[in-house]
């Protein structure tokens, strides 16, 4: 599912809806670290996110160290941020709160 990159003027408003996410230095992605009580909770979160990402056909760049999951979202097909990244970040936030 192709989508257009967000215009530079659209990005600040999009980031206002994602207070825990930060724009990467290169401007092409957004990132967030999620912290859990232990590895099992972190891994469970990654599993739930993986299922959501697969369903949306939009996959994160991520890593896991013990109780922390670091996530970066970008739309490689458009060379930057798209609405798909914003939507996926919101989905991950909801899964974290659950």
């Amino acid at each position: 599912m192709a989508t257009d990159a967000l215009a530079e003027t659209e990005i600040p408003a999009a980031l206002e809806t994602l207070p825990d996410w930060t724009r990467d230095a290169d401007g092409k992605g957004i990132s967030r670290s999620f912290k859990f009580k232990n590895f099992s909770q972190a891994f469970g979160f990654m599993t739930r996110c993986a299922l959501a990402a697969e369903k949306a056909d939009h996959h994160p760049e991520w890593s896991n160290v013990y109780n922390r999951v670091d996530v970066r979202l970008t739309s490689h097909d458009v060379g930057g941020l798209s609405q798909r990244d914003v939507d996926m970040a919101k989905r991950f936030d909801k899964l974290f709160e659950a």
Side-chain angles (χ1 to χ4, degrees):
M1 175 193 301
T3 186
D4 293 330
L6 291 175
E8 194 62 39
T9 56
E10 297 173 305
I11 293 173
L15 291 178
E16 282 183 25
T17 68
L18 301 168
D20 297 314
W21 292 79
T22 57
R23 191 170 182 193
D24 295 342
D26 67 5
K28 295 183 180 188
I30 54 174
S31 298
R32 178 177 176 185
S33 288
F34 296 89
K35 292 194 178 174
F36 301 87
K37 291 182 182 177
N38 55 48
F39 175 76
S40 293
Q41 287 183 358
F43 193 84
F45 171 74
M46 289 181 75
T47 302
R48 291 187 300 278
C49 289
L51 293 171
E54 187 65 18
K55 184 175 181 180
D57 193 27
H58 191 59
H59 305 94
E61 298 174 11
W62 59 7
S63 65
N64 164 242
V65 177
Y66 182 58
N67 68 336
R68 189 183 78 239
V69 177
D70 297 321
V71 178
R72 180 175 188 262
L73 295 169
T74 187
S75 294
H76 298 284
D77 56 341
V78 299
L81 287 171
S82 73
Q83 187 60 45
R84 294 180 76 196
D85 300 308
V86 174
D87 295 343
M88 187 61 60
K90 288 178 182 178
R91 181 71 179 128
F92 285 6
D93 285 348
K94 285 182 182 178
L95 290 169
F96 180 66
E97 295 167 3

